[in-house]
Amino acid sequence: MPHNIPLFLFVAFVTVVTPGPTVLLALANGSRAGMRGALYGMLGAVLSDFVLVGAVALGLGALLAASEFLFQVIKWAGVAYLAFLGLRLLGSEGGAPLLPSERDEMPRSRKDLFLKSLLVALTNPKGYLFFSALLPQFVVVEMPWLPQYLVLGAVFGVVDFLVMLGYAFLGRQASRMCSPRGVSWLERLCGGVFFILSASLALYRRQG
């Protein structure tokens, strides 16, 4: 069992609650697709947590830290994808959230919500490097490493899901309380933040 789980919980919460791409998507998804629709995006983000933790456990984080080429490939894919999402949100015209019957008829949209949150995390090299720096601090070297990484990944995934649930709820409540114009400006605000995150990632440099 990894040591200092309470400390890891605190670090995970602080990391996730700080507005980033996946929680902003949860906010936007909650305002447009409701809680049921936003759930698909949350599941995609949680899956990305397990993929990132698994990649770090297999050494991909260390490979990214050592390979400038691989780092740049993933980095610029992330820059382009964040900018693409920002552009789509900036073009939002608001409108009423989907009715439950309409949501039931949109399996492709649900798949898109899932894939957006999954890809926005997997195309960000900062995530791999972050987990590479963080997770080993909570792993007991003398114990089998795989079960420990599984526990840490599960803990982080639960925290991530709960925080995104809160953001999605805020988005849903905003869509109920605001006019379509207000919802449009909320989504445009999220789009602007996506552009800022895209620019921040473009300027990000690998340490060492």
Side-chain angles (χ1 to χ4, degrees), residues 19-30:
T22 52
V23 294
L24 286 175
L25 278 177
L27 179 67
N29 291 341

Side-chain angles (χ1 to χ4, degrees), residues 15 37 42 95 141:
T15 300
M42 291 182 246
V141 178

Side-chain angles (χ1 to χ4, degrees), residues 89-188:
L89 286 171
L90 282 175
S92 167
E93 297 180 357
L98 295 174
L99 297 173
S101 59
E102 292 175 313
R103 294 189 202 113
D104 291 339
E105 296 172 358
M106 297 182 66
R108 171 177 288 185
S109 294
R110 290 173 174 176
K111 180 180 179 181
D112 290 344
L113 292 172
F114 178 87
L115 290 176
K116 281 180 184 177
S117 293
L118 177 65
L119 292 176
V120 79
L122 296 185
T123 56
N124 188 346
K126 294 168 69 174
Y128 298 93
L129 298 180
F130 168 77
F131 278 119
S132 292
L134 176 67
L135 297 182
Q137 311 302 319
F138 295 90
V139 172
V140 180
V141 178
E142 294 79 13
M143 298 176 61
W145 57 268
L146 182 57
Q148 297 184 75
Y149 275 107
L150 288 175
V151 170
L152 293 173
V155 170
F156 195 93
V158 169
V159 172
D160 197 10
F161 181 84
L162 292 176
V163 171
M164 287 187 294
L165 189 66
Y167 273 87
F169 179 76
L170 288 176
R172 178 59 173 159
Q173 292 303 108
S175 71
R176 287 176 170 175
M177 298 172 62
C178 297
S179 65
R181 183 177 178 83
V183 174
S184 174
W185 279 108
L186 172 64
E187 294 181 353
R188 289 173 182 173

Side-chain angles (χ1 to χ4, degrees), residues 27-104:
L27 179 67
N29 291 341
S31 71
R32 291 293 292 173
M35 296 301 293
R36 286 181 61 188
L39 176 64
Y40 289 86
M42 291 182 246
L43 293 176
V46 171
L47 177 59
S48 75
D49 293 333
F50 283 99
V51 172
L52 289 173
V53 171
V56 168
L58 294 173
L60 182 57
L63 180 60
L64 274 177
S67 172
E68 179 67 20
F69 174 76
L70 183 58
F71 175 85
Q72 292 295 333
V73 168
I74 295 179
K75 168 185 163 178
W76 287 107
V79 169
Y81 194 60
L82 287 174
F84 167 74
L85 293 177
L87 184 63
R88 293 193 63 178
L89 286 171
L90 282 175
S92 167
E93 297 180 357
L98 295 174
L99 297 173
S101 59
E102 292 175 313
R103 294 189 202 113
D104 291 339

